[in-house]
Amino acid sequence: MISQWQLRAAFAARLSGMYGREVPAYTTLVDVSHEVNKDTLRARGADAERLGSISRVTAERHGAIRVGTPAELRHVARIFGALGMRPVGFYDLREAAASAVPVVSTAFRPVDAEELARNPFRVFTSLLTPADPRFFDAALRSRLETFLAGRELFPPELLALADRAEAERELPEAHAERFLHLAVHAFELSAEPIDQAWYEELEKVSAVAADIGGVRSTHINHLTPRVLDIDELYRRMTDRGIEMIDTIQGPPASKGPDLLLRQTSFRALAEPRALRRPDGSVTRGALRVRFGEVEARGIALTPEGRALYDRLLTLVDDQAALHPAADRAELARALWAAHVPATERELAARGLAYFTYRAAPGRPLDGTEPPRTIAELESRGWVRAEPVVYEDFLPRSAAGIFQSNLSGEGSRNAEQEGAAYDSDWLSGAIEREVLDPYALYEHQQSLSLAQVGRELGVEVDGTHP
Ligand code: OOG
Ligand code: NI
């Protein structure tokens, strides 16, 4: 029997093999990430593993896919459900992006700490919003929906195997093999000729709309390795002559603990694709849609911590607007240095980040009464705090990644009111609850406090003074 987490790890590894064959520059990115990780581990020792063991980080990937209809998204949810991955978080990229990105998204990922430690594979999944009149007029919407209704992304055999794996949380080996084969195949780039006129019509609205609704299949858009030092990775990729996007998205480099998520990518590469011309002939064209991304993960922030992050981003925007000649990254670094705590302890004390707690091995066992508050337990050596890794995404960074890799701006009719989509709507569309990431982090933290309480025989007060 192959268990769910083994299926997940095998799927991530095979997808990585497939993507490396399709996009060779991805392999370079993985190689450079591994070199940087080895060097960082050598230079920083155990400290480098504070946000995940080197074996987790080395195998860690996130993918991105894009689908056209709620029905397709429900199929995706069944396939990832087989791998123990659940929809977490709602991202509205229509609002976060300046150019036309008509999608709303969620991320499928494992949610238990133990499952994350085994293999944290996650997939950022975007759903096209044809009902948004800012992008699609009634006639285009109707043709788009008809086109999407007529395609099948996932064969029934794959979905049946997925349902079995989800229900039984394992598959017999031969079935597992078949499931993995079909699942990886479903995300390969199709050789089927693309209707050029249709693709170009959608591309005028949005390159993302064309990538989703202009073809009869889906494909993995990028696969992202995790790196321990993203600034160093950026330098090394640039030294190798690979053209990276201008910036690293997310928090700036800082001396303090890594927070949330930092990401960067290399530009989408021209890939040969078969195109069917209006006269019916097929030619070899090239499309730029798929790119290579890399990320560094930091500590998960509480809603207060996240509000601080969002406030600082706005301040960076304001200051950059005031001083157009200034270096944006420099402005960000200065603001961070002034406003963001430089130690984990201070982050915890100010309730800005999530931690799990463990009774310390060296605690006094001579009958001394332990203190009650988490701050005192920690400062007096009774417990140790470990940062909770941020497992999710950032809408503004995601929009930046989308945008920097689009060929054109697309178009948007600002006179129209946008169609409303939110987390509840998405839950209804998927027919599964879209989970709240904060609730998951909070739960992890409180489970650990309860466990510490049981071990020490006290009711721990987890609030900071
Ligand atoms: C998804 C872009 C977002 C990330 O890491 O923020 C993303 C896409 O291009 O489909 O993957
Ligand atoms: Ni990504």
Side-chain angles (χ1 to χ4, degrees):
M1 282 291 176
I2 309 293
S3 68
Q4 209 164 42
W5 83 263
Q6 290 171 316
L7 276 179
R8 181 168 71 250
F11 177 72
R14 286 194 198 196
L15 201 65
S16 182
M18 178 269 273
Y19 197 59
R21 283 187 296 278
E22 290 189 342
V23 181
Y26 160 78
T27 308
T28 310
L29 194 60
V30 170
D31 291 345
V32 177
S33 303
H34 287 176
E35 282 167 24
V36 169
N37 289 348
K38 259 194 255 142
D39 294 346
T40 309
L41 198 60
R42 205 171 302 131
R44 291 186 21 216
D47 190 42
E49 290 186 285
R50 187 132 180 88
L51 290 156
S53 69
I54 191 70
S55 66
R56 169 186 156 160
V57 170
T58 304
E60 186 158 346
R61 298 284 184 280
H62 88 247
I65 59 164
R66 305 160 173 182
V67 296
T69 66
E72 290 175 356
L73 186 61
R74 285 195 288 279
H75 290 170
V76 166
R78 285 160 69 187
I79 294 167
F80 293 143
L83 304 175
M85 296 154 68
R86 307 187 46 199
V88 181
F90 173 80
Y91 305 88
D92 194 340
L93 296 180
R94 300 172 305 159
E95 307 309 328
S99 34
V101 181
V103 300
V104 292
S105 315
T106 186
F108 289 90
R109 67 166 177 87
V111 297
D112 299 340
E114 202 176 295
E115 287 296 317
L116 286 161
R118 283 171 162 158
N119 186 292
F121 184 58
R122 47 176 100 68
V123 179
F124 191 89
T125 304
S126 299
L127 172 65
L128 191 65
T129 56
D132 193 323
R134 290 173 300 177
F135 306 102
F136 308 96
D137 65 28
L140 184 59
R141 172 184 179 181
S142 138
R143 284 163 59 219
L144 181 54
E145 286 179 340
T146 305
F147 179 89
L148 293 168
R151 69 182 190 182
E152 180 187 271
L153 302 183
F154 307 105
E157 185 190 356
L158 170 60
L159 295 169
L161 285 167
D163 292 346
R164 177 164 172 196
E166 183 168 19
E168 296 171 12
R169 308 195 63 189
E170 59 184 9
L171 278 181
E173 202 164 328
H175 289 91
E177 184 52 44
R178 182 76 185 145
F179 170 81
L180 290 168
H181 170 80
L182 293 170
V184 171
H185 182 62
F187 296 107
E188 277 170 11
L189 198 65
S190 161
E192 191 185 308
I194 296 165
D195 179 339
Q196 190 178 15
W198 176 233
Y199 194 95
E200 284 173 0
E201 187 177 351
L202 289 173
E203 214 175 15
K204 285 198 197 93
V205 171
S206 152
V208 179
D211 181 47
I212 301 173
V215 296
R216 296 188 44 79
S217 55
T218 188
H219 43 253
I220 175 110
N221 172 273
H222 61 267
L223 199 62
T224 299
R226 180 168 160 195
V227 72
L228 295 172
D229 183 344
I230 198 166
D231 300 290
E232 180 59 23
L233 177 121
Y234 191 96
R235 279 190 289 276
R236 291 195 196 178
M237 289 297 282
T238 308
D239 288 348
R240 285 192 181 215
I242 294 173
E243 191 194 348
M244 304 297 282
I245 62 170
D246 300 341
T247 48
I248 295 174
Q249 310 274 344
S254 81
K255 294 212 171 60
D258 291 342
L259 301 184
L260 296 171
L261 175 65
R262 301 181 70 210
Q263 301 175 302
T264 191
S265 63
F266 61 72
R267 289 192 191 286
L269 306 168
E271 292 181 282
R273 304 276 284 270
L275 304 178
R276 179 170 288 109
R277 292 215 199 86
D279 68 6
S281 64
V282 173
T283 86
R284 267 170 80 81
L287 295 177
R288 284 178 185 272
V289 240
R290 307 203 299 170
F291 50 87
E293 183 194 43
V294 63
E295 67 186 17
R297 289 195 170 262
I299 308 177
L301 297 186
T302 60
E304 294 72 29
R306 178 55 183 273
L308 173 63
Y309 172 71
D310 289 335
R311 227 167 29 244
L312 290 178
L313 276 188
T314 311
L315 277 177
V316 175
D317 287 344
D318 293 349
Q319 296 205 353
L322 274 176
H323 312 282
D327 176 10
R328 211 190 140 86
E330 211 43 69
L331 290 175
R333 272 197 292 277
L335 278 167
W336 248 252
H339 296 282
V340 180
T343 62
E344 286 181 10
R345 231 185 238 191
E346 204 188 330
L347 283 168
R350 287 178 48 191
L352 298 175
Y354 292 106
F355 293 86
T356 53
Y357 298 93
R358 235 193 262 251
R363 65 184 184 268
L365 294 169
D366 57 3
T368 323
E369 273 288 299
R372 293 287 187 270
T373 67
I374 195 64
E376 272 185 89
L377 282 166
E378 203 196 339
S379 64
R380 289 166 54 187
W382 289 78
V383 304
R384 295 225 178 110
E386 273 161 28
V388 174
V389 183
Y390 189 59
E391 305 286 353
D392 295 288
F393 293 86
L394 296 170
R396 186 148 150 181
S397 301
I401 296 279
F402 260 110
Q403 232 159 265
S404 54
N405 279 291
L406 299 182
S407 30
E409 292 273 294
S411 58
R412 178 196 304 244
N413 179 350
E415 260 138 55
Q416 296 281 351
E417 196 57 47
Y421 292 94
D422 60 15
S423 186
D424 287 340
W425 179 85
L426 198 65
S427 294
I430 312 185
E431 294 174 357
R432 293 176 189 232
E433 189 191 352
V434 173
L435 303 171
D436 171 9
Y438 292 112
L440 297 172
Y441 296 124
E442 176 74 45
H443 181 66
Q444 224 175 303
Q445 179 169 285
S446 47
L447 276 184
S448 78
L449 284 172
Q451 174 65 23
V452 163
R454 273 193 301 278
E455 276 179 51
L456 300 182
V458 294
E459 180 95 31
V460 180
D461 175 0
T463 55
H464 285 275

